[in-house]
Amino acid sequence: REKAIMKDYANIAMQYAKDIQTKKIVACEFARQATRRFLNDIKNSKAKSSLFFFDENAVNEICSFAESLQLPDIKKSLVLQDWQIFIYANIWGWKYKDNHERRRFRTAYIEVARKNGKTSGFLFPFILYDFLTETASESYLASATIEQSEKSFQEIEEIINGNSELKEICKCYSSAITFDNSKITFF
């Protein structure tokens, strides 16, 4: 089997930020501010006094993982859009120089209109990646109704069952998914 060519997701994120700044991509003021901060942070991270560095490998790894997931509703692998890659880069790419395991951002606020890939494009890959890579990760799916929480849980279960590697290492129960000491559940 041929080895798949991995995309340079970190470069895609940087180019997206530059395209917003040069107005090649039309964007709102908040997107312009976020991309300006990102590009300034890249430049400032090169200084010895900076606490943070941009881990391109981490960005490439999380985005590659996300795009390896087959979504049950469309029966195809996820394809991240540039703006999604930019968000992944911001959340997963920034690390502390003195502790490469510690991410700079532990929380994020992402506001996107309905039906634009928040659940499939962010929530499911983030939960699964964290679930598989962090020790004793716990994710609790909560919604306005238990039915909606359970639906999201079932979609994650379908993603796992649709991937032979994940299916082999994860245990899916009626109200929890486990891997080592990690757990995903809903309420």
Side-chain angles (χ1 to χ4, degrees), residues 40-187:
N40 285 336
D41 285 350
I42 293 283
K43 183 172 58 176
N44 295 336
S45 69
K46 311 251 188 280
K48 285 187 179 187
S49 60
S50 175
L51 298 175
F52 311 105
F53 76 102
F54 186 65
D55 187 346
E56 293 183 20
N57 291 331
V59 174
N60 290 333
E61 185 177 311
I62 180 73
C63 290
S64 179
F65 172 79
E67 288 195 338
S68 76
L69 300 175
Q70 185 167 341
L71 302 178
D73 54 343
I74 62 172
K75 306 283 190 246
K76 292 182 181 176
S77 293
L78 175 64
V79 177
L80 296 174
Q81 296 178 20
D82 292 355
W83 65 270
Q84 291 171 313
I85 294 169
F86 174 75
I87 293 171
Y88 273 91
N90 274 281
I91 296 170
W92 290 91
W94 291 105
K95 308 263 183 84
Y96 281 83
K97 285 182 177 177
D98 64 353
N99 180 353
H100 292 197
E101 299 301 312
R102 185 174 171 212
R103 292 195 315 265
R104 176 183 182 187
F105 299 114
R106 303 291 297 168
T107 59
Y109 175 77
I110 303 166
E111 187 171 333
V112 181
R114 294 184 60 199
K115 301 293 181 192
N116 276 295
K118 292 183 299 289
T119 304
S120 313
F122 292 117
L123 179 64
F124 295 159
F126 273 38
I127 287 173
L128 285 169
Y129 188 79
D130 191 59
F131 174 72
L132 296 167
T133 61
E134 297 295 328
T135 304
S137 166
E138 293 184 13
S139 294
Y140 299 91
L141 303 171
S143 271
T145 66
I146 188 76
E147 290 81 15
Q148 184 61 42
S149 300
E150 186 174 17
K151 180 180 181 286
S152 294
F153 175 83
Q154 289 169 346
E155 287 180 50
I156 291 174
E157 188 176 22
E158 287 179 46
I159 290 170
I160 289 169
N161 287 329
N163 181 305
S164 60
E165 291 176 45
L166 293 178
K167 187 175 182 176
E168 188 175 311
I169 61 172
C170 299
K171 302 286 186 246
C172 296
Y173 303 101
S174 61
S175 63
I177 300 168
T178 61
F179 168 72
D180 286 343
N181 293 320
S182 295
K183 174 175 77 171
I184 301 170
T185 191
F186 67 95
F187 59 90

Side-chain angles (χ1 to χ4, degrees), residues 7-19 38 59-60 67 80-83 85-86 89:
K7 293 181 191 175
D8 186 352
Y9 297 99
N11 189 53
I12 292 169
M14 285 187 236
Q15 188 59 53
Y16 175 80
K18 290 174 186 173
D19 288 347
F38 177 78
V59 174
N60 290 333
E67 288 195 338
L80 296 174
Q81 296 178 20
D82 292 355
W83 65 270
I85 294 169
F86 174 75

Side-chain angles (χ1 to χ4, degrees), residues 25-39:
I25 297 174
V26 177
C28 70
E29 183 59 30
F30 293 119
R32 286 195 299 276
Q33 288 173 357
T35 55
R36 186 177 320 118
R37 186 201 72 226
F38 177 78
L39 293 171

